[in-house]
Amino acid sequence: MNNFLYKAFLSIFMMSAQSLHAQNPPKVTFDYNAPQQTIHSFGASDCWRTQYIGENWPEQKRNQIADLLFSSETDEWGNPKGIGLSLWRFNIGSGSHEAGEQGGVQSEWRRTECFLGKNGDWDWNKQKGQRWMLQAARDRGVRYVLGFSITAPYFMTKNGMARASEKTPYANLKEDYYDDYALFMAEVAKKLNFDYISPVNEPQWEWVGSNQEGMQATNEECSRLIRYLDKALITNKAKAKIVFGEAGDIRYLYRNSTDKPKRDNQIKEMFSKQGKHSIHGLSTLEPVVSGHSYWSTWPIDTMITTRKQLHEAIACELPDNYNYWQTEYCPMEKNSDNPNGGSGRDTGMNTALYIARVIHYDLTVAHATSWQFWTALSEWNYKDGLIFIDDGVLSSGARSGNEKMIESCKLDGEFRTSKTLWALGNYSFFVRPGMVRISQINNGISQNAADLMASAYVDNLTKKVVVVLINYSDKNKAVDLTVENLPKSFHSRFALYETSSRSDLQLKGWVGSRFSVPSRSVVTLVSM
């Protein structure tokens, strides 16, 4: 499309939007004078596929993937080249790769290298593919890096494996290795210049299966490890701050008497100053409670209620400077909106809308300041990736783990973007670190999980307003948008970007206060 035709298209789009003035669309009103949380970041993790892609794939493809994840640039038509993630999660490997079959992890795609050898030797050439992608993220301006450990190095564990071998609430870590594990993480954090470090991942689950790494831990064990890590970070003069929680279900953060005794009620037991396993006051502890949105997104009233209860628990139990981070999610629950649960790749709008709705309620009800997707890349026939890879033949991805592509994709392959990638971009590309969410103050459009949802954010430095709208329904929705008490220095004309079955975060034109949100779409308005 040449520039003349493109301008003509935009003109038609604007005239179509302006014709809405003749109708009486419902009003949605936000209040500039009702600020809520300050946004920290949007992110995703490098587990586990980056180890092969970042090391072995042709450099051109690697850079294309990195652009899709991290770029904040636009093309000649004004369309985003990528989704502009502002946080990247780096998985600190356990050495299950070096341990091989003895490490307890069946799939080579889910084994990880370790910078530290069992004889105490350091090798900073390990995790080469992940380090390549980490540098690619930094080169493209990603603001924050969080290193996270799923399990201790296999030679520090009780059973010599990177996962548990018996169903127990207790950590698979030798009793006299807590300080060694902490020193290991602190050294990696310093060497790779992490901003944050997460030492325990989903401590509620018993990681007895051979499908992936993992280490459960009681609240007391988590507290003990974090205290050692606090000292190690100080000793090593590492800048990383500890981020803790990563609860496998957010209800374990604030409920007691659950099915995971010794590993629940973490806000009161660990974060609170009065908690019996309190980590309050540690100098390297970031004032953040983190959790995962798995298993709490259905039914809708459960999604809303649990997030409201979480926000209230943090507000009631912790100082005002504490925030909530949603640090891992991909859809796994089976329900009428997601019939197959996590199974089966879906690069289309159904999964994208489902996840966009989770983002919306995590931001507007749980007041999350950071939202992070589980994994950026997937070779699997599962809904766990933003970008899917295969051999160009088996486009659905691996299902049993013995397909030919399991070996060939270690060296090269094809990659496919998903609508989920672009729907996350409706937030991550435009809602930047430091922007402030403002409240909606009327019910002109209902925050209806099966219909239309909206949230708004302001940047007081650039005088910019960003509004993200999700139309879950099968009908186009007309909207009359107002931001009350907006200073005159802010602009009132909006660029509209659409993710739908026909568009990937595409600039559609400029609109005023009245416009239409297409059916089954995610739309972002950016004041210009």
Side-chain angles (χ1 to χ4, degrees):
M1 184 184 294
N2 61 38
N3 285 331
F4 176 79
L5 291 176
Y6 185 63
K7 290 178 180 178
F9 160 76
L10 293 180
S11 177
I12 293 170
F13 182 89
M14 286 187 285
M15 286 189 292
S16 175
Q18 291 165 358
S19 69
L20 289 169
H21 283 276
Q23 307 169 17
N24 288 305
K27 289 183 176 294
V28 54
T29 305
F30 293 94
D31 187 359
Y32 175 84
N33 287 340
Q36 300 300 314
Q37 77 269 32
T38 299
I39 299 300
H40 178 275
S41 57
F42 290 88
S45 86
D46 67 0
C47 272
W48 290 275
R49 296 82 181 190
T50 309
Q51 61 181 312
Y52 294 121
I53 295 169
E55 181 174 3
N56 300 327
W57 278 37
E59 190 169 2
Q60 181 182 8
K61 289 183 181 179
R62 281 186 270 164
N63 278 307
Q64 288 174 326
I65 289 171
D67 284 342
L68 287 167
L69 293 170
F70 310 127
S71 177
S72 294
E73 297 180 351
T74 56
D75 64 18
E76 60 181 316
W77 307 113
N79 302 310
K81 292 181 178 179
I83 65 169
L85 294 178
S86 43
L87 181 144
W88 187 236
R89 292 172 62 88
F90 183 100
N91 180 22
I92 303 170
S94 71
S96 55
H97 173 81
E98 291 89 337
E101 294 293 334
Q102 301 302 313
V105 180
Q106 184 176 8
S107 172
E108 291 184 0
W109 279 83
R110 294 189 173 193
R111 296 176 187 172
T112 59
E113 293 181 339
C114 188
F115 293 117
L116 181 64
K118 63 181 180 180
N119 296 320
D121 52 312
W122 289 90
D123 184 352
W124 296 107
N125 291 316
K126 295 288 184 71
Q127 298 193 250
K128 185 177 180 180
Q130 291 175 248
R131 288 188 293 106
W132 186 94
M133 196 63 74
L134 172 61
Q135 188 59 50
R138 285 176 164 149
D139 289 344
R140 288 161 176 80
V142 173
R143 182 81 62 90
Y144 304 109
V145 176
L146 181 149
F148 68 107
S149 180
I150 295 178
T151 179
Y154 73 94
F155 48 85
M156 296 184 186
T157 65
K158 294 174 182 175
N159 63 3
M161 294 194 293
R163 57 149 177 107
S165 51
E166 58 178 320
K167 195 170 184 179
T168 169
Y170 299 105
N172 183 28
L173 178 64
K174 295 175 184 177
E175 286 298 320
D176 56 346
Y177 271 78
Y178 278 78
D179 55 345
D180 295 87
Y181 185 21
L183 286 166
F184 161 73
M185 288 189 285
E187 186 67 26
V188 175
K190 181 179 181 181
K191 183 69 176 182
L192 298 188
N193 197 29
F194 292 154
D195 299 285
Y196 305 99
I197 186 161
S198 172
V200 186
N201 187 71
E202 295 187 339
Q204 290 80 22
W205 308 142
E206 294 86 24
W207 298 98
V208 296
S210 62
N211 62 325
Q212 70 179 76
E213 301 173 335
M215 189 179 77
Q216 64 270 33
T218 65
N219 290 350
E220 185 278 326
E221 291 170 328
C222 290
S223 177
R224 195 190 330 169
L225 179 62
I226 289 169
R227 289 184 172 277
Y228 275 116
L229 180 57
D230 174 68
K231 293 177 182 178
L233 290 169
I234 294 171
T235 300
N236 279 29
K237 298 181 179 179
K239 73 171 185 178
K241 297 292 186 180
I242 300 170
V243 171
F244 175 68
E246 305 268 11
D249 183 319
I250 60 173
R251 285 165 284 204
Y252 293 125
L253 291 170
Y254 63 88
R255 288 185 182 177
N256 59 12
S257 302
T258 70
D259 60 336
K260 303 296 179 185
K262 301 180 185 292
R263 292 171 285 174
D264 60 9
N265 204 25
Q266 291 178 310
I267 290 174
K268 278 192 175 182
E269 288 196 3
M270 295 191 66
F271 288 96
S272 173
K273 186 177 182 179
Q274 292 75 33
K276 60 181 177 180
H277 305 301
S278 179
I279 55 176
H280 180 86
L282 297 179
S283 62
T284 65
L285 184 68
E286 186 75 5
V288 162
V289 176
S290 68
H292 300 171
S293 281
Y294 302 120
W295 314 117
S296 63
T297 66
W298 194 267
I300 298 301
D301 60 351
T302 295
M303 177 161 61
I304 296 171
T305 300
T306 54
R307 281 151 182 76
K308 182 178 180 182
Q309 290 170 344
L310 172 61
H311 176 62
E312 290 174 347
I314 293 173
C316 178
E317 298 290 338
L318 304 180
D320 291 342
N321 65 326
Y322 263 80
N323 294 302
Y324 171 63
W325 287 9
Q326 193 294 126
T327 51
E328 192 176 307
Y329 183 72
C330 70
M332 293 194 287
E333 301 97 320
K334 288 186 178 181
N335 52 61
S336 57
D337 278 9
N338 187 40
N340 296 319
S343 297
R345 286 186 177 184
D346 176 20
T347 58
M349 283 305 297
N350 195 66
T351 295
L353 286 165
Y354 193 96
I355 292 171
R357 180 170 63 189
V358 175
I359 298 173
H360 171 80
Y361 283 108
D362 281 338
L363 294 174
T364 61
V365 181
H367 290 240
T369 59
S370 181
W371 200 95
Q372 300 160 30
F373 192 73
W374 162 217
T375 186
L377 298 153
S378 178
E379 89 289 2
W380 208 241
N381 187 22
Y382 206 80
K383 299 180 181 70
D384 59 344
L386 298 173
I387 298 171
F388 293 96
I389 66 168
D390 57 72
D391 58 0
V393 177
L394 192 63
S395 61
S396 62
R399 182 185 296 272
S400 61
N402 59 2
E403 293 88 348
K404 290 181 179 179
M405 62 160 282
I406 289 297
E407 286 301 318
S408 66
C409 282
K410 290 179 180 178
L411 301 176
D412 194 3
E414 301 297 324
F415 63 90
R416 306 171 193 274
T417 62
S418 66
K419 295 296 181 181
T420 296
L421 171 81
W422 298 112
L424 175 57
N426 279 91
Y427 289 93
S428 59
F429 192 89
F430 304 106
V431 184
R432 304 304 298 171
M435 295 186 77
V436 178
R437 185 176 72 84
I438 56 175
S439 290
Q440 185 181 345
I441 61 172
N442 79 314
N443 294 316
I445 61 170
S446 173
Q447 295 284 10
N448 187 334
D451 193 68
L452 195 62
M453 295 155 272
S455 57
Y457 312 83
V458 295
D459 187 329
N460 288 304
L461 292 177
T462 62
K463 309 302 180 185
K464 185 177 293 185
V465 178
V466 172
V467 182
V468 184
L469 301 105
I470 305 164
N471 185 358
Y472 215 91
S473 76
D474 293 323
K475 296 180 180 180
N476 297 341
K477 297 290 180 179
V479 172
D480 187 349
L481 174 67
T482 302
V483 181
E484 290 191 351
N485 299 307
L486 190 67
K488 292 181 179 180
S489 55
F490 281 73
H491 302 289
S492 58
R493 185 166 169 255
F494 296 94
L496 188 151
Y497 298 83
E498 176 188 320
T499 297
S500 63
S501 60
R502 61 187 175 275
S503 301
D504 293 336
L505 201 60
Q506 185 179 11
L507 174 62
K508 291 294 186 178
W510 287 265
V511 298
S513 62
R514 293 189 177 192
F515 53 91
S516 179
V517 182
S519 64
R520 304 290 289 172
S521 73
V522 185
V523 161
T524 301
L525 302 178
V526 183
S527 64
M528 306 296 286

